[in-house]
Amino acid sequence: MQRSIIALVSGPNGFAGRTDPIPVTSSWWSEAESVNRALEERLGVPTSVLRLISAEGGGDGSWGGVVTYHVEAHGEPNRHRLHPAEEPEADAPRRLPWAKPGGPAELIAWADEHVGRTGPAVQKKTWNLSSFHQLPVAGGTAWLKAVPPFLADEATVIEMVAAHDPSLVPEVIASAPHRVLLGNVPGDDCWTVKREHIDLIVPRWVAVQHALAGERPPSIRPSAVPMPSFGLPETLVQGDFAPDNWMTSGVIMNWSEVVWGHPALDVGRLLDYCSYTPLYDHVAKVWSDAWLRHRPDSRPLEALDAGRHAGRLQFAVKYQEVVDEAEDSQRIYHRDYPTSSLTSIMRLVNTP
């Protein structure tokens, strides 16, 4: 579904007006690069997307339709290409720092204290869960990520994982509360997951979970969803263990949604991702074989069914918190996730 954008533009001399609808190449609401590219062509100055204001006619709370954004122009925009409009509100309860004028520039200035950029920063994504910038640096790319206060400190989590398998996580260049600067990660994402990706990542993640099992660190929240143990330990749960967070090089991205709980919560998420592919049984075998190597007396295959139910419930709890903590206009991204997750659990329970 095509996305067209309307930008409400604030510049260095105040609010400048709104654009006509402009088609952009990416349909995803949170994707910012194509928005900024189209606006620079229209307005003659670089821009940053601050936040989504409204969306009409899109699909599934994340893509397509006509989407209106508040945008910051880094220079005086061409006002001949703008129309009068009501200025967006300056602030609101629960608004995130990167969604305010000056917020993206402040993040980039912080990153510049730690790396030497070789070109302009590229805003890749911004929404109620995170802000991403790609920074060109000597020898490759650095990634600047910011997250809301209720998510985990990624640098701390990455350090925990790296103590047992540094090849499983990205390099942390610098960190501060609610932000992290990551080194270049080779490879492509695993949206189209293959057997070799599962073979590369799942056993190594199980080995790390086995090594980390024990008492919960104070910095990691407990899972809201208990499970019978089936002989498996409580440990670090990645929280969104799906191949769209994996790289073909074997690195796992996105460590801000971790909890401490049963490891089947992660494989439940992975099994859902692979439900409509021939890989479902392969995932189950690789995961259960990996746990049996570390815990021979465990019953991982018995944990799989409970893990799928519990994983969806954990997903519902997580996104209810996201909806509760988001400012009003940003709830559109995930407002239906908790209900759809609970509905999917009922389907699982009622399927013979």
Side-chain angles (χ1 to χ4, degrees):
M1 184 183 293
Q2 175 71 50
R3 176 177 55 150
S4 294
I5 64 103
I6 296 171
L8 303 178
V9 184
S10 294
N13 297 310
F15 182 66
R18 70 162 177 84
T19 66
D20 289 320
I22 306 170
V24 294
T25 54
S26 170
S27 63
W28 299 106
W29 296 351
S30 60
E31 190 276 334
E33 183 176 8
S34 64
V35 175
N36 291 322
R37 188 187 310 119
L39 288 175
E40 185 167 4
E41 292 176 2
R42 180 69 60 97
L43 303 176
V45 293
T47 59
S48 293
V49 176
L50 298 178
R51 61 188 177 91
L52 179 151
I53 290 178
S54 64
E56 298 180 6
D60 193 28
S62 59
W63 57 286
V66 179
V67 187
T68 300
Y69 298 95
H70 187 195
V71 169
E72 182 176 19
H74 304 298
E76 184 59 25
N78 182 349
R79 292 180 181 248
H80 297 295
R81 309 297 297 272
L82 296 170
H83 305 286
E86 183 178 351
E87 182 176 4
E89 57 185 348
D91 204 351
R94 300 179 299 279
R95 182 163 298 169
L96 294 165
W98 63 79
K100 302 176 184 180
E106 189 276 327
L107 280 171
I108 294 168
W110 173 79
D112 285 344
E113 297 174 3
H114 303 283
V115 293
R117 268 193 297 131
T118 58
V122 178
Q123 186 186 38
K124 301 294 285 186
K125 186 174 183 178
T126 188
W127 61 340
N128 58 346
L129 273 180
S130 61
S131 164
F132 270 104
H133 284 81
Q134 183 182 27
L135 310 180
V137 297
T141 300
W143 293 93
L144 170 61
K145 181 180 181 181
V147 298
F150 60 86
L151 293 182
D153 175 44
E154 287 204 59
T156 298
V157 178
I158 289 172
E159 181 180 2
M160 290 172 60
V161 176
H164 301 283
D165 187 347
S167 68
L168 202 59
V169 289
E171 172 200 7
V172 176
I173 298 172
S175 66
H178 318 309
R179 63 183 63 177
V180 65
L181 186 60
L182 302 173
N184 189 47
V185 178
D188 300 312
D189 63 55
C190 296
W191 273 94
T192 305
V193 65
K194 300 177 181 178
R195 288 172 69 98
E196 56 261 35
H197 304 147
I198 293 163
D199 295 342
L200 175 64
I201 290 175
V202 170
R204 291 161 56 227
W205 176 229
V206 167
V208 170
Q209 288 185 302
H210 168 71
L212 289 172
E215 186 175 351
R216 177 178 63 87
S219 60
I220 306 298
R221 294 189 302 174
S223 167
V225 182
M227 268 188 59
S229 74
F230 299 98
L232 296 173
E234 297 264 302
T235 186
L236 186 70
V237 173
Q238 197 269 347
D240 194 7
F241 192 62
D244 54 352
N245 285 320
W246 301 357
M247 304 298 289
T248 54
S249 58
V251 173
I252 301 173
M253 306 297 290
N254 185 18
W255 293 95
S256 60
E257 299 176 24
V258 300
V259 293
W260 199 260
H262 197 285
L265 293 170
D266 274 342
V267 76
R269 177 81 176 102
L270 177 56
L271 288 171
D272 275 348
Y273 192 97
C274 297
S275 290
Y276 303 105
T277 77
L279 295 173
Y280 185 98
D281 290 340
H282 186 64
V283 168
K285 184 177 190 314
V286 171
W287 183 80
S288 60
D289 286 352
W291 270 112
L292 286 170
R293 284 193 293 273
H294 297 287
R295 303 274 175 141
D297 295 331
S298 65
R299 307 187 309 282
L301 281 176
E302 294 180 34
L304 290 177
D305 188 53
R308 287 195 69 191
H309 290 71
R312 292 187 183 189
L313 187 55
Q314 177 69 36
F315 190 84
V317 170
K318 175 180 71 175
Y319 278 101
Q320 187 61 57
E321 180 180 32
V322 171
V323 171
D324 290 344
E325 293 292 337
E327 72 167 290
D328 292 347
S329 68
Q330 304 303 291
R331 290 175 175 169
I332 190 171
Y333 281 112
H334 300 109
R335 65 186 177 191
D336 296 328
Y337 281 26
T339 300
S340 63
S341 295
L342 294 174
T343 300
S344 68
I345 293 171
M346 290 303 298
R347 291 197 193 102
L348 279 176
V349 169
N350 294 323
T351 299

